[in-house]
Amino acid sequence: DIGTVMQFLRLFMPQHLKAMEEIEDMFETEFDYVGEAENQARIFSNIMPVFGDRVAVPEVFFEYCTRDVLVSEFFNGPSLVKGAKAQLEAYARSINRPYEEVEREQLELLQSGDHKSIEVESRRMHRYQALL
């Protein structure tokens, strides 16, 4: 656990202690599921009234949430990653290109930081989605 790592650093690598303290602080806030539940509820209340006919955001059940547990509505279906992959596969088919080639190009665009190219590709994807 983090406490053990902190003790080790104090004894053998004190130069890294400050960085580990910052990581520990991030873990404290990142794994506060009550805070995450509040964020999810805020997203739910902002997204669902406008886009509720096109997207789904799980509703949070605060009465069951604790600092260590987040409970929200269950949606049966593919994960976000599987759904995104299915969309990209369908897009690749619609432009008669191999999925692997389109996926590689998308990854290269993301890694390059070339946001202009990503925006152009995004517009193409939106046109495709409008056809669905």
Side-chain angles (χ1 to χ4, degrees):
D1 74 337
I2 291 181
T4 303
V5 172
M6 297 288 279
Q7 287 177 333
F8 175 83
L9 292 176
R10 277 188 195 94
L11 294 172
F12 300 107
M13 303 175 82
Q15 71 273 21
H16 298 296
L17 191 57
K18 179 114 174 96
M20 190 63 191
E21 287 171 349
E22 290 183 29
I23 291 170
E24 183 180 32
D25 289 344
M26 288 187 332
F27 269 85
E28 288 296 317
T29 58
E30 187 68 26
F31 294 112
D32 173 9
Y33 289 118
V34 171
E36 288 298 315
E38 290 168 354
N39 289 337
Q40 185 172 325
R42 188 172 28 260
I43 291 168
F44 179 90
S45 65
N46 289 333
I47 297 290
M48 294 308 289
V50 179
F51 300 104
D53 61 330
R54 291 177 274 173
V55 300
V57 177
E59 185 175 358
V60 174
F61 300 115
F62 282 99
E63 63 270 24
Y64 303 110
C65 294
T66 69
R67 180 172 165 67
D68 301 313
V69 176
L70 179 121
V71 179
S72 63
E73 182 178 9
F74 174 76
F75 291 146
N76 193 16
S79 68
L80 178 62
V81 171
K82 287 180 182 176
K85 183 177 180 183
Q87 283 286 327
L88 192 59
E89 287 171 342
Y91 173 65
R93 281 192 304 275
S94 78
I95 60 173
N96 296 316
R97 293 188 48 215
Y99 167 76
E100 293 77 12
E101 185 179 300
V102 174
E103 180 187 42
R104 186 177 56 255
E105 287 176 3
Q106 293 299 309
L107 289 172
E108 288 171 0
L109 284 173
L110 288 170
Q111 292 170 346
S112 74
D114 183 0
H115 298 291
K116 183 177 180 185
S117 295
I118 293 171
E119 289 169 10
V120 168
E121 194 63 30
S122 178
R123 285 194 295 275
R124 288 177 61 197
M125 181 63 89
H126 285 296
R127 285 194 303 268
Y128 160 74
Q129 288 174 334
L131 297 174
L132 290 178

